[in-house]
Amino acid sequence: MGKGKGIAERQAELAAELVARMEREVKQGNPVDTALSQLLRRRRELGGRDRRFLSELVFSHFRWKGWTAPLALLGPEAAAAAAYLLDAAAPHPAARAMLELCRLPGDGLAPQGGRTLAERGQALVDLWRGRLPDNLAPALLEPRALCPAWLGDELWVPPGAEPGAHLAHCLEAFQLRPPTWLAVRPGFLDALAAQLGPRAPLTPHPRLTRAAALGGNPDLDPARRKLPGFFQVQDLASQAVCEVCAPRAGERWWDACAGAGGKALGLLERMRGHGQVLASDVRRGVLESARRRAEEAGLEGLELAALDASRDDPPRDERDGLGGYDGVLVDAPCSGLGTWARNPDARWRLARADVAARADLQVRILERVAAAVRPGGVLVYSVCTLTRAEGPEAVRRFLARVAGFSPEPCPHPLDGEPTDGTAWVWPWDGPANGMFMARLRRAGR
Ligand SMILES: C[S@@+](CC[C@H](N)C(=O)[O-])C[C@H]1O[C@@H](n2cnc3c(N)ncnc32)[C@H](O)[C@@H]1O
């Protein structure tokens, strides 16, 4: 970062500018991760540490804005710096400069990383005591203020759980960024760990042996060059979906909402090169990255198609036409509550009405693709969200409309416990993204 003004002051200025721009993106419904990385890429003068600080600050701003908003009365820099410090493990000179710009003491809020929600709330009140009206604190420092007010009404509450306690558990989890998870090809964990070194330790999941949580915040590009295609960044919950699919060698699958192909590659990998996956998505552009990643990983058997799964049929197979897939995965577009810890801006981009609209789309997609499952085949439905409407209720609606499918009991992918054919990954499992999954078997052979 340039000279002239103090470095911290210039970083503070840029941080405030970025937060304001990202607020505008969120108002237009655009995800911050994409907009921010495009913007930071254009600022060539920034070093790696500057970028890390700025992106941490922006994400912290959206994570804590339900609490820090009153500080914006003293200046937007105060709110953003306080949010940064609520997450941070160490002080930062630019955060100090931002507080001072708003006439707050630069050391008025110690870094709160690792503290409880109650401790962080208290530290925030201590920062603004005497500068903002005292009566702001009790209502604003409720965990519920950290997310949209309708959240509790839409959440699925597991049988036997107390709704208030379940909501509190979710709110707490949304404030903690989960680690990055890698999906590592069997047999390559040690080679990858050696390549990443001790500052980026890998912690394998006890049951999903391909999954490893990554410590530190390393640049993965050198490891990608050294071990091309042997690992991919993939959340634990997404890997759990591939486990629930449990494809067998020689099968033919259709991943009907494939996006950039993370799960499609996971399916191919599990079939050990003896299987086929049609990966389709309504966005043609994202499929190209699925092709590139499959090539990099040396995985054969991937076919791509741009399809609207709520309307279009997959290309007819010459052998058996429609109704021929051993398995169809619908990793459906959803409200994304399960990603609110990783992408905190998502909570401010979603309207309550979106939940019902996505649920309707999910049921339409399930109804449409069901015909492509061969008799005796499997339909797996997954959504990275935690709502009732998009979870068990969407499955119930599908089963009421389409005859011949029923949930197939299977072990829970993360702990092996028996399930009724539906399973949740909660954000505190792992910790990772939250996810709902259902495995449905079509009658016949
Ligand atoms: C949850 S994401 C899928 C992520 C992907 N399976 C992965 O593992 O990376 C949902 C995907 O559904 C796609 N989508 C939305 N509406 C669709 C539709 N009507 N038909 C097919 N795909 C759709 C979106 O473009 C998005 O890529």
Side-chain angles (χ1 to χ4, degrees):
M1 183 152 307
K3 301 233 163 45
K5 248 184 207 172
I7 291 177
E9 284 71 23
R10 295 203 45 169
Q11 277 179 329
E13 228 169 63
L14 183 52
E17 186 191 315
L18 281 183
V19 167
R21 289 189 68 159
M22 292 305 119
E23 278 284 0
R24 288 200 292 277
E25 295 285 348
V26 167
K27 279 209 179 79
Q28 289 165 15
N30 301 326
V32 163
D33 54 358
T34 319
L36 185 64
S37 67
Q38 280 170 358
L39 213 132
L40 290 178
R41 220 176 295 137
R42 288 202 292 272
R43 308 289 298 237
R44 292 180 181 276
E45 77 279 16
L46 296 174
R49 275 200 211 149
D50 295 328
R51 286 166 199 272
R52 196 162 304 153
F53 165 69
L54 291 167
S55 78
E56 281 170 7
L57 179 131
V58 166
F59 284 108
S60 294
H61 166 73
F62 289 104
R63 185 171 295 120
W64 294 102
K65 72 178 251 180
W67 277 10
T68 54
L71 276 166
L73 296 171
L74 306 176
E77 296 85 355
Y84 174 82
L85 290 164
L86 285 176
D87 276 335
H92 194 285
R96 165 183 268 273
M98 291 170 84
L99 291 177
E100 288 172 353
L101 210 65
C102 303
R103 299 179 193 286
L104 286 163
D107 58 0
L109 178 60
Q112 298 292 308
R115 306 256 165 93
T116 63
L117 268 187
E119 287 167 336
R120 293 183 217 220
Q122 186 56 52
L124 200 58
V125 176
D126 292 344
L127 173 70
W128 78 44
R129 178 162 295 124
R131 293 174 180 85
L132 290 172
D134 280 348
N135 63 1
L136 280 179
L140 276 166
L141 295 187
E142 274 284 322
R144 281 169 202 234
L146 293 163
C147 287
W150 49 260
L151 172 64
D153 298 326
E154 295 290 344
L155 268 187
W156 161 259
V157 181
E162 197 280 307
H166 181 64
L167 172 62
H169 205 175
C170 289
L171 286 166
E172 203 174 323
F174 292 151
Q175 297 312 105
L176 287 176
R177 194 181 190 287
T180 297
W181 286 89
L182 302 181
V184 186
R185 194 179 285 186
F188 285 87
L189 193 69
D190 290 345
L192 181 60
Q195 177 64 32
L196 291 170
R199 293 175 70 173
L202 288 175
T203 311
H205 187 270
R207 186 175 161 88
L208 287 196
T209 49
R210 288 176 169 84
L214 178 64
N217 192 4
D219 175 5
L220 289 173
D221 282 346
R224 279 200 187 96
R225 283 193 291 273
K226 192 92 178 173
L227 296 167
F230 289 96
F231 71 94
Q232 61 165 326
V233 173
Q234 187 177 46
D235 192 76
L236 178 69
S238 299
Q239 298 188 51
V241 172
C242 294
E243 286 297 304
V244 166
C245 291
R248 286 184 303 211
E251 287 189 340
R252 204 157 62 96
W253 277 69
W254 176 23
D255 180 357
C257 300
K263 297 186 186 71
L265 299 194
L267 297 180
L268 276 176
E269 228 252 337
R270 282 165 176 76
M271 292 190 279
R272 297 184 200 90
H274 301 284
Q276 282 183 306
V277 175
L278 166 67
S280 68
D281 198 280
V282 75
R283 294 179 298 149
R284 184 181 292 275
V286 287
L287 294 169
E288 197 37 51
S289 100
R291 183 197 307 283
R292 188 178 35 76
R293 291 161 73 194
E295 275 170 17
E296 216 173 71
L299 288 169
E300 289 177 1
L302 183 70
E303 195 192 327
L304 302 172
L307 298 174
D308 179 337
S310 69
R311 280 198 330 228
D312 303 331
D313 292 325
R316 280 183 180 275
D317 187 89
E318 278 164 17
R319 283 176 300 176
D320 41 16
L322 262 184
Y325 287 90
D326 297 299
V328 175
L329 168 62
V330 174
D331 185 36
C334 69
S335 59
L337 269 64
T339 69
W340 280 6
R342 216 181 274 292
N343 301 312
D345 56 297
R347 61 186 89 173
W348 308 117
R349 284 189 276 115
L350 191 76
R352 184 170 183 185
D354 296 337
V355 173
R358 306 272 157 96
D360 289 345
L361 174 61
Q362 289 148 7
V363 177
R364 279 206 308 280
I365 292 178
L366 284 171
E367 283 185 78
R368 183 77 199 184
V369 305
V373 179
R374 72 162 169 80
V378 170
L379 174 59
V380 173
Y381 169 68
S382 60
V383 274
C384 58
T385 198
L386 309 175
T387 66
R388 188 177 48 247
E390 299 166 277
E393 183 59 16
V395 172
R396 190 199 60 74
R397 286 170 65 191
F398 165 72
L399 293 175
R401 286 175 202 205
V402 179
F405 284 84
S406 46
E408 179 170 72
C410 58
H412 192 288
L414 296 189
D415 59 18
E417 289 295 315
T419 73
D420 62 359
T422 65
W424 291 91
V425 172
W426 296 103
W428 50 85
D429 293 332
N433 288 344
M435 186 80 79
F436 170 78
M437 302 157 242
R439 181 178 165 94
L440 311 172
R441 176 74 69 181
R442 185 174 182 181
R445 334 187 62 223

